[in-house]
Amino acid sequence: MGNGKRESKYDSGNVWTTWPRLLAVGVAALLLSPVAACSSGGDTTSETLGTEGPTTTTTTTTAGPGTTDTDTDTGADTAATASGGDCGNGEVDEGEACDDGNDDNTDSCLNTCEEASCGDAFVQVGVEECDDGNDDDSDSCTSNCQLPVCGDMIVQEGEECDDGNDDDTDACTSTCVAAACGDGVAQEGEECDDGNTEDTDECTNACTLPVCGDGVVSNGEECDDGNAEDTDACTMECVAAVCGDGIVWEGTEACDDGNDVDDDECSNMCALASCGDGIVQMGEECDDGNDVDSDECPTNCLNAVCGDTFVQEGVEDCDDGMESEMCDGDCTAVECGDGLANTLAGEECDDGNDDDTDECVSGCVAATCGDGFVQDGVEECDDGNENNDDACTNDCMLNQINITMSCNQGQDCQQECNPWNSFRSSLTGGTYSAVTLRGSSDMVGQTCSNPALANQICNNLATGTATNVQCDGRTWRIGNCGAGVEINANGNMCSCAAGWVVRPCINQGNPNWGGMNTATCNSPTQTLEVICFGG
């Protein structure tokens, strides 16, 4: 047991586990088998189980009294009979290390009557964390029957190292990760280690203390280009180059005399005396000393104005020197709706609003019949097509048949009965694309816009044919109510329910002539309008 794990002496075939059980079976067999005897004689054969194989006993009885021959055939490997006990009887018998009388393999005594130990593949409760029965330290259970953890000095999967200590300054950290720059612990050879990727703080990403010239802008430095060149944008003192520092910034400064005298050969702007030196000289309107063309003083030393071809930042969107396809004459970007009609940009008009019912519609196009926009006070409709037989003709006039009736509360509406029937007759044989019920109480009303259903409704209204259809979320009904024909978008005939109902011929003296989004019996005074649009 060099690996710390026992080999059970109770394995299959071992004499200590086999013979007591086999002996018990054999004895039981002998006790239960009757002894046969015949006057004519005979042989009786029985088998009993030994330790290594069966034992056969043959008994022969002859005719003579008291004559019996017995032959016993014992297997060659039969072991000597041992004394006493069964594993599991609660008594420690010979050959047993323990016997707690149960089959629980998680206590201190296994059901093989061996004492529990690490490596027996059974987890002893309260003693072991695990037991996988092997001595492999790299799997999920170590050879000392403990679950693997960082710090157990065993490098498990997912660990880079494991030195068994909490020292974060050696080669293996307490989290079992190999020490490296950026782990937050200053190791040997590192000047610092702040554990972040911020290169501009007090510790660089190379784990060195920041110094001027290391190429990293750290606290207290204006710049750091990592070179020894004093004439670029960053001096060797890690200070940003500026005019007046006595160092000519190559490519940027024409001179730098390090003084504040503005009338010498080098101005305080580090430029030779000229437009742009910051000194307004004869012939200049301004001189702000920079080469920025987008401020109030461009590089021509003239005050910035719209049309100078310089786009003044915060003031102008553009400046092409004149009106162009992209720029209006006031130096704003061309935009339909800005109120400036730019013909070079393809605008016919621009009234600066989003109203498509006036003379200038979306897209800065002059309003015309057929553009899909109804021009207020000019067109009745505009469906944007050239179909003269639909609801809107090609001259933008409504192609419709309609009736508007006036009915008074508390009175019948018999004065509108004949016009109502004439209107219905005028619908005969037409083709319709929509039908609307509306009035002075609801000028929007309800519309069936399904051409097939609208055509059915209008033609059935002409004949008074009973109708019940679903269109645009409403139930449209046609039928007789009293002495006349009713149409409604309520779903019920001859009903007083509020909604959209027209029945002026109901009966003489009957004030329940309908209504538009109001009570339909004795409803308030209003107009009732029915429109069938041509299709």
Side-chain angles (χ1 to χ4, degrees), residues 338-367:
D338 59 10
L340 299 173
N342 189 327
T343 57
L344 294 176
E347 295 179 340
E348 296 179 2
C349 57
D350 195 326
D351 54 9
N353 64 43
D354 295 327
D355 186 0
D356 283 329
T357 65
D358 57 12
E359 295 177 350
C360 188
V361 300
S362 297
C364 292
V365 178

Side-chain angles (χ1 to χ4, degrees), residues 250-271:
E250 187 175 350
T252 301
E253 299 173 340
C255 58
D256 195 324
D257 54 12
N259 64 42
D260 57 359
V261 178
D262 213 19
D263 58 358
D264 58 9
E265 294 180 356
C266 187
S267 72
N268 290 345
M269 301 302 296
C270 293

Side-chain angles (χ1 to χ4, degrees), residues 210-230:
V211 294
C212 178
D214 59 9
V216 179
V217 179
S218 305
N219 294 335
E221 297 178 340
E222 295 180 2
C223 58
D224 196 325
D225 55 10
N227 63 41
E229 178 61 54
D230 219 17

Side-chain angles (χ1 to χ4, degrees), residues 431-446:
T431 301
Y432 306 98
S433 60
V435 57
T436 296
L437 302 183
R438 68 183 186 184
S440 57
S441 295
D442 182 3
M443 290 305 296
V444 175
Q446 295 294 330

Side-chain angles (χ1 to χ4, degrees), residues 46-297:
S46 64
E47 289 186 357
T48 61
L49 299 178
T51 58
E52 296 296 325
T55 299
T56 304
T57 302
T58 303
T59 303
T60 304
T61 304
T62 61
T67 303
T68 302
D69 293 333
T70 302
D71 295 329
T72 301
D73 182 10
T74 304
D77 295 331
T78 301
T81 302
S83 63
D86 283 329
C87 177
N89 61 7
E91 298 179 3
V92 180
D93 298 318
E94 183 179 352
E96 297 177 341
C98 59
D99 194 327
D100 56 6
N102 64 45
D103 292 329
D104 187 359
N105 279 327
T106 66
D107 56 14
S108 60
C109 186
L110 305 180
N111 61 11
T112 58
C113 293
E114 293 178 291
E115 292 182 351
S117 63
C118 179
D120 58 14
F122 299 111
V123 179
Q124 188 176 356
V125 175
V127 177
E128 299 172 335
E129 294 181 357
C130 59
D131 195 325
D132 57 6
N134 65 46
D135 56 0
D136 185 358
D137 271 333
S138 64
D139 58 12
S140 60
C141 186
T142 65
S143 60
N144 59 3
C145 294
Q146 299 296 311
L147 295 173
V149 294
C150 176
D152 60 9
M153 297 188 70
I154 301 171
V155 180
Q156 307 286 342
E157 183 178 355
E159 298 178 340
E160 296 179 1
C161 57
D162 195 325
D163 56 7
N165 64 46
D166 294 330
D167 186 0
D168 273 334
T169 64
D170 57 11
C172 186
T173 67
S174 59
T175 58
C176 294
V177 177
C181 176
D183 58 12
V185 180
Q187 313 287 340
E188 184 177 354
E190 297 177 339
E191 294 179 1
C192 57
D193 195 325
D194 55 8
N196 64 42
T197 58
E198 178 59 56
D199 216 18
T200 61
D201 57 11
E202 296 180 355
C203 187
T204 70
N205 290 345
C207 293
T208 58
L209 295 173
V211 294
C212 178
D214 59 9
V216 179
V217 179
S218 305
N219 294 335
E221 297 178 340
E222 295 180 2
C223 58
D224 196 325
D225 55 10
N227 63 41
E229 178 61 54
D230 219 17
T231 60
D232 57 10
C234 188
T235 69
M236 290 187 293
E237 287 76 33
C238 292
V239 177
V242 293
C243 177
D245 59 9
I247 303 170
V248 178
W249 185 359
E250 187 175 350
T252 301
E253 299 173 340
C255 58
D256 195 324
D257 54 12
N259 64 42
D260 57 359
V261 178
D262 213 19
D263 58 358
D264 58 9
E265 294 180 356
C266 187
S267 72
N268 290 345
M269 301 302 296
C270 293
L272 298 173
S274 63
C275 175
D277 59 9
I279 302 171
V280 179
Q281 299 169 341
M282 185 178 294
E284 297 177 340
E285 294 179 359
C286 60
D287 195 325
D288 55 9
N290 63 40
D291 57 358
V292 177
D293 280 327
S294 59
D295 58 11
E296 295 178 353
C297 187

Side-chain angles (χ1 to χ4, degrees), residues 380 398-405 419-420 422-424 426-427 432 435-436 438 458 461 528-534:
E380 292 183 358
L398 288 173
N399 186 8
Q400 64 185 40
I401 302 175
N402 68 298
I403 184 173
T404 301
M405 299 170 286
W420 171 242
S422 296
F423 162 72
R424 291 176 42 241
S426 69
L427 298 174
Y432 306 98
V435 57
T436 296
R438 68 183 186 184
C458 289
L461 180 60
L528 307 178
E529 185 176 4
V530 180
I531 308 170
C532 283
F533 296 92

